[in-house]
Amino acid sequence: MRLVLPNPGLDLRIPSYEDLDRMDQEEEADGRPKWDNKAQYILTCVGFCIGLGNVWRFPYLCQSHGGGAFMIPYLILLVLEGMPLLLLEFAIGQRLRKGSVGVWRAINPYLTGIGVASMLVSLLVGLYYNTLVAWILWYLFNSFQDPLPWTQCPLNDNGTGFVSECQQSSTVDYYFYRVTLNSSASIGDSGGLHWPIVLCLLAAWTVVAICCIRGIGTSGKAVYVTAILPYIVLAIFLIRGLTLKGSFSGIKFLFTPDVDELIKPTTWLDAGAQVFYAFGLGWGGLISFSSYNPVHNNCIQDAVILSVITGLTSIYAATVTYSIIGFRATEKYDNCLNNNIISLLNTFDLPEDNITASDYEAALNRLNSSSPETVLGLDLKTCDIQTLLSEGVEGTGLAFIVFTEAITKMPGSPVWSVLFFVMLLCLGLSTLFGNIEGVVVPLKDLNVFPKTWPHEILTGITCMAAFFICFLFALDSGIYWVTLFDNFAGSVPLLTVGLFEMIAVVYIYGIDRFNEDVEFMVGHKPPIFWQIAWRFISPLIVLVILVFYLVTQVQEELTYLVWDPKSDEFPSLASVPYPAWINLVIFLLAGVPSLAVPVYALCRLLFICCKKTTQ
């Protein structure tokens, strides 16, 4: 039985196959630009999908969920959830030749809210994403000096010693939280604007505006650098990382699966959510990109290619990251061991070479059996490499603290620092190209601006408005706002948009019509795998993830980590509850985009009913 809801007037709203062939023959007959070549399109999609999350979010999730065990559900859901929705977005954009708003409005005007929701998510994610780019620019600008500024603590005001806040924590922590961000002790303590970050934000949005000023005409050229360079830099870091002491310990830790994690629902939920992040699904950028393709482009092949690249890149980036984490953990382990050895040598007045790292355990047992009270009084640290490897550093801390600390231990550290932050800059910019496309094109489709205004003006206005909104992230509490946006702006809304997209295509546009469209474009109908996935598997997976995510969020107390030198937990970040008013902000970030679809449909229905009544 085929269930397709009534959809009158559909044939009048979408171009016929004859129209599509005619548009393809006539250069820009439909008013839309074209890709210069297939490589430019693939690189743009790769750059959009492969972002900063591949460097810090995926490795952190691997660490949190049993190393290699997390890769199993991730790769399974990448095939069952990610690939089908990716092909759906590619195919529907290529068939209807419109952006995210135009596509869903053409299928049915009541579905315009899907495009509005995608636009809102793209805007919200783009705001905090370019703030990360601003931080990256700050570190990049400060990498052109030797020694690097985060290698040592600054002097205090009297010049008689070092700043106590730095001495109590570490140089990299202090440089990130105090020098770079001037972090306050709570999200409610806004402080003032931190002007170095404001200038970096101005530089970041200027770069984005220049690269996107003419849509894919300019961003399509930039991706040759921003999409390819990160792979080259990752390869350089992998080669360098493998030569560092302890790198294989990190890689072994990453690929050693804890199979008990596979039976935990949270492992599968996080894997499913990561697939959305990895592909950039629901943001609207991929629909816009595919609409610039030739009508008979093989979108099935594109979806498979991009899925393979995305999956392999996540594993590749995690391998590079854990080679560095292994080196950092080994450094900490060696320092811990050496400090303990020095304490034992000094206390028991032993010759310098009497205790070495290789026989430390035996020597400690010997001394502990002969003088247990003396050894107990030394307060020796417990040195365990596995504990150090499993110390999870989530999100931005992985890039701005773990990597920067490891880089300081490398010979020629400024060179490695410049390479690393150039790579992050490219990853951030190439994703932002898709975010800006996912905002500007829907604004044009919604006729927010006069149709006579050129694309350059729309892009400039969008980037200028975004720059001023980003002042929120330049406050002393800015890092806490970035974390809030990261946790909520791109979670529930993306899952909601993805679910509505599949329902719209399968049950409103009609899966049979969609199959015929794909056959017209690529020359054959989609195989049975895609049919089953679109109709049953993918919607069910997204629905389960969405429901479980909402249930777990409701049950958990909302907390966040703060940098507070007055806290008892300092130098560790203190976990504090969010203030009550933050629930309103969370609703604006996650609730408004998620509710855009039903609210828009309801408003349109009321408008039509009122119009009929007045007539």
Side-chain angles (χ1 to χ4, degrees), residues 8-317:
L10 176 60
D11 290 324
L12 300 176
R13 294 191 297 267
I14 64 175
S16 65
Y17 294 160
E18 291 77 14
D19 291 336
L20 290 175
D21 281 329
R22 179 180 51 78
M23 292 175 186
D24 223 20
Q25 296 297 324
E26 301 172 17
E27 186 69 21
E28 299 196 7
D30 55 352
R32 302 186 70 76
K34 312 287 184 186
W35 297 107
D36 291 345
N37 51 65
K38 184 64 171 283
Q40 187 184 63
Y41 165 64
I42 292 294
L43 284 175
T44 301
C45 291
V46 168
F48 178 55
C49 296
I50 307 301
L52 297 173
N54 291 85
V55 175
W56 61 51
R57 187 189 296 274
F58 183 77
Y60 168 74
L61 290 173
C62 285
Q63 182 273 327
S64 302
H65 296 293
F70 179 76
M71 295 184 190
I72 297 171
Y74 173 73
L75 294 176
I76 290 173
L77 294 179
L78 184 142
V79 173
L80 297 180
E81 171 199 11
M83 275 178 53
L85 189 50
L86 179 66
L87 175 56
L88 184 145
E89 291 197 354
F90 277 169
I92 205 68
Q94 186 173 308
R95 166 64 177 90
L96 300 183
R97 323 298 293 166
K98 297 178 185 294
S100 58
V101 165
V103 159
W104 306 114
R105 184 165 56 187
I107 291 175
N108 192 295
Y110 285 95
L111 296 176
T112 306
I114 298 178
V116 174
S118 293
M119 179 187 70
L120 292 174
V121 174
S122 279
L123 175 63
L124 294 172
V125 172
L127 291 174
Y128 86 80
Y129 219 83
N130 213 20
T131 303
L132 300 180
V133 171
W135 298 354
I136 291 165
L137 285 174
W138 168 260
Y139 271 82
L140 179 60
F141 296 152
N142 284 281
S143 295
F144 293 94
Q145 49 187 304
D146 192 14
L148 293 169
W150 52 85
T151 56
Q152 54 193 17
C153 289
L155 295 173
N156 57 25
D157 294 336
N158 300 327
T160 56
F162 295 110
V163 174
S164 61
E165 184 181 349
C166 180
Q167 284 189 304
Q168 290 175 359
S169 54
S170 70
T171 57
V172 288
D173 284 315
Y174 178 82
Y175 188 83
F176 179 59
Y177 289 107
R178 181 58 58 216
V179 178
T180 303
L181 304 178
N182 193 32
S183 296
S184 62
S186 75
I187 194 170
D189 182 10
S190 299
L193 287 172
H194 192 45
W195 288 103
I197 295 301
V198 173
L199 293 176
C200 289
L201 279 168
L202 178 61
W205 280 110
T206 301
V207 171
V208 171
I210 291 172
C211 290
C212 298
I213 196 71
R214 298 186 65 187
I216 64 169
T218 47
S219 64
K221 305 292 190 298
V223 293
Y224 287 112
V225 175
T226 59
I228 296 175
L229 188 61
Y231 285 93
I232 298 173
V233 176
L234 279 173
I236 295 171
F237 264 96
L238 181 60
I239 294 169
R240 180 68 182 103
L242 293 176
T243 64
L244 298 172
K245 182 182 179 183
S247 61
F248 285 99
S249 298
I251 295 172
K252 181 182 177 182
F253 180 84
L254 172 65
F255 287 102
T256 303
D258 178 4
V259 292
D260 292 337
E261 286 288 333
L262 293 176
I263 61 174
K264 295 181 180 179
T266 53
T267 303
W268 292 83
L269 294 178
D270 284 343
Q274 177 60 22
V275 167
F276 267 80
Y277 282 106
F279 278 121
L281 298 169
W283 291 5
L286 293 173
I287 293 177
S288 291
F289 288 152
S290 64
S291 70
Y292 305 132
N293 274 326
V295 174
H296 296 288
N297 172 65
N298 192 336
C299 51
I300 296 180
Q301 184 184 72
D302 296 343
V304 174
I305 290 173
L306 194 61
S307 299
V308 172
I309 292 174
T310 301
L312 292 179
T313 301
S314 295
I315 298 171
Y316 175 44

Side-chain angles (χ1 to χ4, degrees), residues 396-430:
T396 53
L398 191 58
F400 296 105
I401 295 175
V402 173
F403 260 87
T404 52
E405 182 183 7
I407 285 170
T408 60
K409 305 291 196 309
M410 299 180 186
S413 55
V415 176
W416 294 107
S417 183
V418 169
L419 268 178
F420 177 66
F421 287 108
V422 165
M423 177 190 73
L424 292 187
L425 179 63
C426 290
L427 288 171
L429 288 176
S430 57

Side-chain angles (χ1 to χ4, degrees), residues 552-560 575-578:
T552 53
Q553 285 295 320
V554 169
Q555 291 176 343
E556 291 178 0
E557 181 187 14
L558 292 176
T559 61
Y560 66 111
S575 179
V576 298
Y578 274 114

Side-chain angles (χ1 to χ4, degrees), residues 347-376:
T347 302
F348 290 96
D349 197 22
L350 298 172
E352 187 173 336
D353 295 331
N354 192 268
I355 303 176
T356 62
S358 59
D359 63 358
Y360 167 75
E361 291 293 337
L364 178 62
N365 291 333
R366 186 174 64 252
L367 293 171
N368 197 30
S369 59
S370 60
S371 308
E373 291 159 352
T374 306
V375 172
L376 188 64

